[in-house]
Amino acid sequence: MTRPAVLPTITRRRCGAAALVLLLAGPALHAQTQAPAQAQTPTGAIKGHATVHDAASAAAVIQRAQVAWPAALTGGAVFVGRWQDAPKPQPGLRVPVVVFLHGSSGLGLKAIEDWQRWLAGMGVASVAPDSFALPDRVTYTSPVDTDTYERIHALRGSEIALALKALGEAPWADAGRLLLAGTSEGATAVARHDGSGFAGRMIFSWSCEDNYFVKSAATQATPGRPVLNVISRSDPYFSPANPWLGNPRAEGHCAEAFKANPQAQVVLLPQAPHTLINLPAARDVTAAFVRRVLLPG
């Protein structure tokens, strides 16, 4: 006899003002979040040298950005491609936009295109700046020193300003309906941004805690502004499942950072991989957040 599937249970509690949603799959959860005994810290590696955009790369970050336009904006099919190759938009139409900061793998990760195409199906455009437009940009295999990580975080933060400027000049972007989102490396910059210019933020696969990846989490709590955090309960980098996390008190999510924000929601997915933006559970909470913040009514 085939045993019925065990459906996740949903547990809701509050951490201060923030809502914490735990999608739990059974008693094995606790064991999955513990660091393996006697595990050794791997040897990291760094390649490249550049961590600051010059004028040429700052322009290329946007021109090479991966954009997705909903069908209403193109007047035909959904468009996914580079900013510089986008078709002429429908005149007079402005649409909501999500600015998405990719992780350390860059835009070559197909999951990002799939996610942007999915958003376009909701009528929401998206722009993913290309951080690797910077020649000789630093790349790494974790863990490496925090000085290197911090230079990368500063680089990614500068790309938010570049995207905001470009969207402010784009005739198709509704500047009053912008969301800032990112995953992993990109999510760290999103968490540190004060939210200016955006209606809300979405932080995927980052825990907003002190750990090996930062000198200090430096999360901007921005009470009263909508924030969504979605992360695997057993994330291999930023949960207690990582034996070299560097913080024995870490919880592996952003609830503590946003405990004073009643518009913050933190969602933990059990047994999920690090890249989780396209999982059904992640898409469900993302869609609800996007509709609430960008598409009310």
Side-chain angles (χ1 to χ4, degrees):
M1 176 182 294
T2 302
R3 297 180 64 181
V6 179
L7 298 177
T9 59
I10 301 176
T11 301
R12 292 181 172 86
R13 63 180 176 88
R14 304 202 74 81
C15 180
L20 176 62
V21 180
L22 299 150
L23 302 183
L24 304 181
L29 177 66
H30 179 73
Q32 293 165 354
T33 61
Q34 302 306 301
Q38 307 300 322
Q40 293 185 343
T41 301
T43 301
I46 299 172
K47 295 181 180 180
H49 301 88
T51 56
V52 178
H53 285 297
D54 58 19
S57 68
V61 162
I62 301 303
Q63 291 303 308
R64 287 174 40 175
Q66 185 165 277
V67 303
W69 284 7
L73 188 57
T74 67
V78 167
F79 169 80
V80 179
R82 288 187 173 185
W83 178 294
Q84 63 191 15
D85 299 325
K88 185 177 180 180
Q90 292 294 294
L93 181 63
R94 291 182 179 268
V95 296
V97 185
V98 173
V99 174
F100 183 83
L101 300 193
H102 61 69
S104 61
S105 298
L107 292 174
L109 196 65
K110 188 177 183 300
I112 297 175
E113 176 185 338
D114 293 342
W115 191 77
Q116 290 185 265
R117 192 177 294 276
W118 168 72
L119 277 179
M122 296 174 57
V124 177
S126 58
V127 176
D130 184 3
S131 186
F132 288 92
L134 174 62
D136 195 37
R137 180 199 189 273
V138 164
T139 62
Y140 53 85
T141 300
S142 288
V144 298
D145 62 281
T146 52
D147 284 340
T148 295
Y149 285 132
E150 289 296 347
R151 286 193 291 271
I152 290 295
H153 299 326
L155 175 75
R156 304 311 306 278
S158 73
E159 293 161 5
I160 299 173
L162 294 174
L164 267 177
K165 181 177 184 296
L167 289 171
E169 298 169 354
W172 50 268
D174 186 341
R177 291 190 293 167
L178 304 181
L179 268 180
L180 178 61
T183 186
S184 193
E185 177 190 282
T188 308
V190 172
R192 290 178 168 189
H193 194 269
D194 66 5
S196 299
F198 296 96
R201 291 178 291 165
M202 298 189 291
I203 301 166
F204 297 99
S205 301
W206 169 238
S207 63
C208 307
E209 296 177 306
D210 294 349
N211 54 41
Y212 76 94
F213 201 52
V214 294
K215 288 186 175 180
S216 173
T219 305
Q220 293 290 318
T222 58
R225 293 189 180 184
V227 177
L228 173 66
N229 172 223
V230 185
I231 189 170
S232 171
R233 183 67 170 171
S234 53
D235 187 276
Y237 298 106
F238 305 126
S239 80
N242 180 357
W244 37 274
L245 182 64
N247 182 352
R249 297 179 298 278
E251 294 289 336
H253 54 72
C254 295
E256 179 65 22
F258 292 111
K259 64 183 180 181
N261 187 346
Q263 293 209 53
Q265 182 180 20
V266 178
V267 179
L268 308 182
L269 303 184
Q271 304 178 46
H274 184 59
T275 301
L276 48 63
I277 54 177
N278 290 311
L279 294 181
R283 281 192 174 186
D284 285 348
V285 295
T286 301
F289 185 83
V290 169
R291 290 190 179 103
R292 176 168 66 87
V293 177
L294 292 185
L295 305 170

